[in-house]
Amino acid sequence: MADNRRPENMERITTPQLAEAFINEQLAQLRAQIGDKKVLLALSGGVDSSVVAALLIKAVGRQLTCVHVNHGLLRKGEPEQVVEVFRNQMNANLVYVDAVDRFLDKLAGVAEPEAKRKIIGAEFIRVFEEEARKLDGIEFLAQGTIYPDILESGPVKAHHNVGGLPEDLQFELVEPLRLLFKDEVRVVGKALGLPDAMVFRQPFPGPGLGVRCLGAITRDRLEAVRESDAILREEFAKNGLAGKVWQYFTVVPDFKSTGVKNDLRSYDWPVIIRAVNTRDAMTATVEDVPFALLQHITQRITREVPGINRVLYDLTPKPTGTIEWE
Ligand code: XMP
């Protein structure tokens, strides 16, 4: 069993040189642990699993199989980016699973937030297990567990975004980032040549856009969340807010309001913008986004996103609001 305690004298990885040293040490350890055996990784495209993938590709190449499950709740362009970076650029052995219909069918009519989370987590494990069973001779399961996951979950079992991974599949775990903090994972990811858009992205919940399409998820509202989120991210990037604001996203509630579009009365959904700063996600303050930018984003969202006739800005700190709406 690998050591899950960060040594007190372990230097914080803050520079490319320290990242290189960590990477070289890990490559040797991974090669010694894995030998000529096969490894499996659930690759969401988030920072942690992407960095684990890049490390393992370097260490054992095509002995690694990455499984990317597209559950339909990812942000615009994310599944495509995973395929582009890992399959096309890094020559990884990548299994892309289009499970969109499967997830949306399971979620149909389910309005309660925790029930939605449970379905997404359970279905993820089921899809991943099915894919794992199709592969022969896998002995290792790699996970993007990082040190805060271990600190939070104690000695029992490191949990991660997707809500746990198969327990009845008999794999030995490979967790090369288990002693690192998030900022160190980013420095290592950058040193491994991953794109900034992957390494420096904002936190994104495991259930994804599923908890931002409020109530029972419908495909049209889910697309409205995805499209409005893409516009918000584009405008924040253009205006220097992307690296500055901790988390920013859009939410589409399940009610409509009256409006007017092209001289006709409309009855459509609103989009709510949320942009917050925090240290530890326990409390959060609202970003003071320039009013002119909010107006510009409002204009773009109401013009470009079908089914939306209003845009609201959430002024609520945490507490009393949580960061997510569900
Ligand atoms: P809240 O909404 O509780 O969010 O203020 C705090 C942070 O946690 C993220 N979050 C989640 N992350 N699975 C995750 O992996 C979840 O179910 C989940 N719910 C909230 C949220 O995005 C914020 O960064």
Side-chain angles (χ1 to χ4, degrees):
M1 183 63 197
D3 191 1
N4 278 346
R5 265 267 158 88
R6 186 173 166 117
E8 269 177 27
N9 59 357
M10 185 170 153
E11 194 172 359
R12 194 93 174 191
I13 303 171
T14 51
T15 64
Q17 291 73 23
L18 291 168
E20 281 303 326
F22 172 84
I23 290 165
N24 289 331
E25 191 185 305
Q26 282 304 315
L27 292 181
Q29 277 187 25
L30 288 167
R31 286 176 187 139
Q33 185 185 6
I34 296 163
D36 60 358
K37 307 274 174 26
K38 291 185 186 165
V39 194
L40 183 62
L41 169 72
L43 174 59
S44 67
V47 182
D48 306 335
S49 67
S50 296
V51 174
V52 171
L55 252 182
L56 279 163
I57 291 163
K58 231 179 169 169
V60 299
R62 293 180 67 90
Q63 285 164 247
L64 171 73
T65 301
C66 303
V67 175
H68 177 67
V69 178
N70 180 2
H71 51 28
L73 307 170
L74 297 169
R75 287 170 290 196
K76 188 172 181 173
E78 282 184 338
E80 294 83 358
Q81 187 185 39
V82 168
V83 172
E84 172 57 27
V85 170
F86 292 99
R87 184 185 283 161
N88 300 350
Q89 294 175 19
M90 295 191 170
N91 192 29
N93 198 351
L94 174 75
V95 179
Y96 170 84
V97 188
D98 179 348
V100 175
D101 287 344
R102 211 172 139 158
F103 276 82
L104 295 187
D105 287 352
K106 275 258 150 73
L107 286 163
V110 181
E112 207 276 310
E114 293 314 309
K116 287 163 67 176
R117 277 192 173 79
K118 274 202 187 115
I119 290 172
I120 296 165
E123 195 60 16
F124 181 89
I125 292 174
R126 220 167 287 139
V127 173
F128 186 71
E129 271 180 348
E130 283 174 21
E131 293 304 318
R133 285 185 211 290
K134 288 182 199 163
L135 301 165
D136 272 341
I138 305 268
E139 293 196 19
F140 295 92
L141 179 70
Q143 283 190 313
T145 313
I146 66 172
Y147 203 47
D149 298 330
I150 289 177
L151 294 179
E152 277 164 28
S153 57
V156 189
K157 188 172 185 289
H159 94 288
H160 209 62
N161 254 356
V162 288
L165 282 169
E167 285 179 15
D168 62 327
L169 297 175
Q170 296 301 309
F171 294 127
E172 188 178 321
L173 284 184
V174 176
E175 297 179 310
L177 309 180
R178 70 185 178 283
L179 299 183
L180 301 194
F181 289 102
K182 195 78 174 194
D183 53 310
E184 299 179 293
V185 175
R186 295 190 207 273
V187 179
V188 169
K190 179 105 182 118
L192 285 164
L194 289 172
D196 282 3
M198 218 164 219
V199 172
F200 295 106
R201 60 199 217 155
Q202 51 168 322
F204 188 61
L209 303 182
V211 290
R212 297 174 182 172
C213 182
L214 304 186
I217 297 170
T218 56
R219 287 176 194 249
D220 41 11
R221 278 192 310 116
L222 181 59
E223 285 320 307
V225 179
R226 202 180 335 262
E227 290 300 322
S228 56
D229 171 76
I231 292 172
L232 182 73
R233 285 191 290 139
E234 189 187 318
E235 290 298 332
F236 268 39
K238 256 194 220 161
N239 291 279
L241 292 176
K244 178 176 169 262
V245 182
W246 196 78
Q247 200 170 7
Y248 46 97
F249 54 86
T250 61
V251 172
V252 176
D254 52 353
F255 61 80
K256 291 183 170 181
S257 75
T258 307
V260 58
K261 251 187 185 179
N262 305 324
D263 296 331
L264 289 174
R265 182 181 178 280
S266 76
Y267 189 56
D268 280 325
W269 299 296
V271 156
I272 300 156
I273 296 175
R274 186 120 175 94
V276 297
N277 293 304
T278 176
R279 280 182 158 274
D280 55 9
M282 300 300 285
T283 62
T285 55
V286 177
E287 171 71 15
D288 187 357
V289 180
F291 194 64
L293 179 58
L294 286 174
Q295 285 177 309
H296 175 64
I297 294 170
T298 299
Q299 192 179 53
R300 279 200 61 192
I301 290 176
T302 49
R303 277 193 188 157
E304 295 173 36
V305 183
I308 302 297
N309 64 357
R310 277 178 203 272
V311 176
L312 315 175
Y313 189 57
D314 185 352
L315 291 169
T316 321
K318 176 180 180 176
T320 53
T322 46
I323 294 176
E324 302 291 344
W325 269 57
E326 284 192 336

